[in-house]
Amino acid sequence: MQTVAIFGVGLIGGSFALALRRAGFTGEILGVSSSTTITEAIRLGVIDRGASMGEAASRADLIYLAQPIRQILQSIGGLAPHLKAGALVTDAGSTKVEIAGRAKLLLPANSFLGGHPMAGKAVRGVSAAEAGLFEGRTYFLCAPDPSVLEHPVAERLVEYVRKFGAHPVIIGAPEHDRLVSLTSHLPQLASTALASTLSRLLDEDSARNGAGPGLFDMTRLAQSSFELWSDILFTNATSIDLALGLYIEELLRIRKVLNKDEIGSTFERGSNFAAFLRKAKC
Amino acid sequence: MQTVAIFGVGLIGGSFALALRRAGFTGEILGVSSSTTITEAIRLGVIDRGASMGEAASRADLIYLAQPIRQILQSIGGLAPHLKAGALVTDAGSTKVEIAGRAKLLLPANSFLGGHPMAGKAVRGVSAAEAGLFEGRTYFLCAPDPSVLEHPVAERLVEYVRKFGAHPVIIGAPEHDRLVSLTSHLPQLASTALASTLSRLLDEDSARNGAGPGLFDMTRLAQSSFELWSDILFTNATSIDLALGLYIEELLRIRKVLNKDEIGSTFERGSNFAAFLRKAKC
């Protein structure tokens, strides 16, 4: 693996480049992004130089697609004709079924391994990139066919993911999309719905006076960029619809037992789950 | 104001005592709590000594009820026969209508001013108490009749609340309970429902692998003590039921437009509200 090309040198793409360097990668890192981003990324030492999509695809051994999902879908089509023999394409998109489907149609057999690092930050852009972003995080890898994991570049990628301090988890694309609809997409919509509900009901004084620390936690995700989330919602609507339905059912159940002793078991289940997560991750 | 009695020397009661001292109160601070708590509270310098409910009620100029709501309701009945002339009773309960109603029935006219500091911590108990707990927080005061605010001890209480760095907000009890059903009780149930829903659907490995930082934020409140929350739910069920209904309606609306452009406006409303809260508080 001599040359890596990062498509979309933002928070995730930039952090991947920095993490590669820290883990000992000495080859060339190309960036495919807007000219402003390329200038900034070179200044910050994140990439070596900018390249066109065609040049990057024809030179790189590993192509890392770190754009918003709809741009990843476009990039797969754009880079396909230029792809170097023996190269591997991977991505960092938050949903996997549509991307895997497109890759299967347009890329040579055994040249695509889907990826999704469960890492992020409130701040976006290459200036927020950091080598340690993936540390302690799950790094999902979706192999359309298990044999792609034996691709030499895929083996290197998995090694690097481990060196980043991340936990590679091999998972099927449909299973991935169902899982993150529950653990990531549902929490986002629960937060957005809460903030949106309250914005309709509270004037500024009431909101200011009534807000405690709990409301802050519960509305942090509501600040997320819709530019990223619209792609996630559009490409995982079926699973998210199901997750929302189950959440609404639980809220309806809670509403029915609000001042009955039975609600104690709901609190207990919730509290045990929250405690398990913290024990599991710390 | 020579003597203050704290009923329930836990996180809130203990912090009130410490904040009083830091703000220059030099009189005696009595504690009414279990003997273990009293020993600990004296050791930590939070109170001067323990007292029975009867002694505390007959000696104190200010009685501060910082117990769980149902115990506050009981204390009001218990202390009424012993109350010193000219004393003021206040409390720190998270709902106000039931407490104000009980005080109106059982306490002498103009001797009760309801209170609710919007402060808290994940850890409970007197050992977690701190003089700065109320800094920058709203401190709701519910006067059943405006004249109680002219009570000399009430005037001192408001002065102290300001000295704590808290923001006193005068509000009616029903209006208070409606407001916190939206800004505090609904966020709690949204978190509990999310954690409880996921606990039914995910095995341990999936939960561990799928959990990102957003899920951590959204499940922090789910860890809250049901002992405290059952009292809140039982004494504010009508407002909470309404708030839950509005939240469920918003989730249903979101579900309908999940992969339509219209969902952008929901994200925008939510994001603006979350940003406003942060601007207002920082």
Side-chain angles (χ1 to χ4, degrees):
Chain A
M1 193 167 100
Q2 297 300 312
T3 304
V4 173
I6 313 278
F7 283 48
V9 190
L11 171 66
I12 299 294
S15 295
F16 184 80
L18 290 172
L20 270 187
R21 283 287 182 233
R22 197 175 68 173
F25 177 70
T26 53
E28 192 175 36
I29 302 184
L30 307 176
V32 181
S33 258
S34 71
S35 60
T36 327
T37 300
I38 292 298
T39 308
E40 176 73 351
I42 294 171
R43 195 183 64 77
L44 293 167
V46 170
I47 59 167
D48 295 312
R49 63 180 182 87
S52 68
M53 175 188 286
E55 192 207 348
S58 63
R59 288 182 53 90
D61 304 297
L62 176 67
I63 290 173
Y64 194 87
L65 306 176
Q67 303 144 305
I69 298 168
R70 274 185 273 204
Q71 267 180 271
I72 292 177
L73 294 171
Q74 282 172 15
S75 293
I76 290 172
L79 66 84
H82 308 283
L83 198 64
K84 177 170 146 181
L88 184 81
V89 179
T90 187
D91 78 303
S94 302
T95 63
K96 299 267 64 80
V97 170
E98 261 197 58
I99 291 172
R102 176 77 68 112
K104 198 179 169 68
L105 274 177
L106 298 179
L107 295 178
N110 255 7
S111 67
F112 179 76
L113 176 60
H116 177 204
M118 291 289 283
K121 258 188 174 182
V123 198
R124 295 171 61 200
V126 66
S127 56
E130 47 179 287
L133 190 75
F134 308 108
E135 257 174 47
R137 303 289 181 191
T138 294
Y139 199 113
F140 286 115
L141 292 168
C142 302
D145 185 310
S147 63
V148 74
L149 290 165
E150 288 157 31
H151 187 299
V153 180
E155 287 180 345
R156 299 302 309 279
L157 175 62
V158 176
E159 274 170 40
Y160 275 115
V161 165
R162 286 192 213 280
K163 281 189 193 164
F164 297 170
H167 309 297
V169 174
I170 313 290
I171 190 172
E175 197 189 337
H176 168 276
D177 285 7
R178 275 194 299 271
L179 177 55
V180 294
S181 76
L182 294 169
T183 61
S184 166
H185 310 167
L186 179 57
Q188 172 64 47
L189 292 178
S191 178
T192 293
L194 180 67
S196 165
T197 303
L198 296 188
S199 78
R200 294 175 193 271
L201 299 168
L202 297 174
D203 59 43
E204 296 201 345
D205 273 353
S206 303
R208 193 182 290 115
N209 293 335
L215 185 58
F216 274 74
D217 285 343
M218 294 297 288
T219 55
R220 191 184 69 81
L221 286 182
Q223 297 175 101
S224 303
S225 149
F226 181 61
E227 194 195 334
L228 290 182
W229 276 93
S230 67
D231 282 10
I232 294 174
L233 301 176
F234 276 66
T235 57
N236 201 23
T238 309
S239 291
I240 298 174
D241 179 64
L242 198 64
L244 271 176
L246 293 163
Y247 183 50
I248 291 168
E249 274 175 33
E250 185 73 2
L251 288 163
L252 288 168
R253 249 194 302 272
I254 286 179
R255 211 178 158 190
K256 271 193 200 136
V257 294
L258 214 45
N259 51 4
K260 297 199 173 67
D261 285 329
E262 294 158 69
I263 199 171
S265 61
T266 306
F267 265 77
E268 200 187 332
R269 252 197 321 277
S271 162
N272 288 344
F273 180 79
F276 167 76
L277 281 185
R278 280 147 182 88
K279 225 178 71 190
K281 285 281 172 179
C282 297
Chain B
M1 194 166 99
Q2 296 301 313
T3 305
V4 173
I6 313 278
F7 283 49
V9 190
L11 172 65
I12 299 293
S15 295
F16 184 80
L18 290 171
L20 269 185
R21 283 285 182 235
R22 196 174 70 173
F25 177 70
T26 54
E28 194 176 35
I29 302 184
L30 306 177
V32 181
S33 257
S34 71
S35 59
T36 328
T37 300
I38 293 298
T39 308
E40 176 75 352
I42 294 172
R43 195 182 65 75
L44 292 168
V46 171
I47 58 167
D48 295 312
R49 63 181 181 86
S52 69
M53 176 187 285
E55 192 207 346
S58 63
R59 287 182 54 90
D61 304 298
L62 176 67
I63 291 172
Y64 194 87
L65 306 175
Q67 302 144 305
I69 297 168
R70 275 186 271 204
Q71 268 180 269
I72 293 176
L73 293 170
Q74 282 172 14
S75 293
I76 290 171
L79 65 84
H82 307 285
L83 198 65
K84 178 170 146 179
L88 184 82
V89 179
T90 188
D91 77 302
S94 301
T95 63
K96 298 267 61 82
V97 170
E98 259 194 62
I99 291 172
R102 176 74 69 113
K104 197 178 169 68
L105 275 176
L106 298 178
L107 295 178
N110 255 9
S111 67
F112 179 76
L113 175 61
H116 177 205
M118 292 289 286
K121 257 186 175 184
V123 198
R124 295 172 61 199
V126 66
S127 56
E130 46 178 288
L133 191 74
F134 308 109
E135 260 174 45
R137 301 292 182 191
T138 294
Y139 199 114
F140 286 115
L141 292 168
C142 302
D145 184 311
S147 62
V148 74
L149 291 165
E150 288 157 29
H151 187 299
V153 181
E155 287 179 345
R156 299 304 309 278
L157 175 62
V158 176
E159 274 170 41
Y160 275 115
V161 166
R162 286 193 214 279
K163 281 188 193 164
F164 297 170
H167 309 297
V169 173
I170 314 289
I171 189 172
E175 197 189 336
H176 168 276
D177 285 7
R178 276 194 299 271
L179 177 55
V180 293
S181 75
L182 295 169
T183 60
S184 167
H185 310 167
L186 178 58
Q188 173 63 47
L189 292 177
S191 177
T192 293
L194 181 67
S196 165
T197 303
L198 296 189
S199 78
R200 293 175 192 272
L201 301 168
L202 297 174
D203 59 41
E204 296 202 344
D205 272 354
S206 302
R208 192 182 292 114
N209 293 335
L215 185 58
F216 274 74
D217 284 344
M218 294 297 287
T219 55
R220 192 186 67 82
L221 286 182
Q223 296 177 101
S224 304
S225 150
F226 181 61
E227 194 195 334
L228 291 181
W229 275 93
S230 67
D231 283 11
I232 294 174
L233 301 177
F234 277 66
T235 57
N236 201 25
T238 310
S239 290
I240 298 174
D241 179 64
L242 199 65
L244 272 176
L246 294 163
Y247 183 50
I248 291 168
E249 276 175 31
E250 185 74 3
L251 288 163
L252 289 168
R253 248 194 303 271
I254 286 177
R255 212 178 157 189
K256 272 193 200 135
V257 295
L258 214 45
N259 51 5
K260 297 202 171 67
D261 286 329
E262 295 157 69
I263 200 170
S265 61
T266 305
F267 265 77
E268 199 186 333
R269 252 197 321 277
S271 164
N272 288 344
F273 181 78
F276 167 76
L277 281 185
R278 279 147 182 88
K279 226 178 70 188
K281 286 278 172 182
C282 298

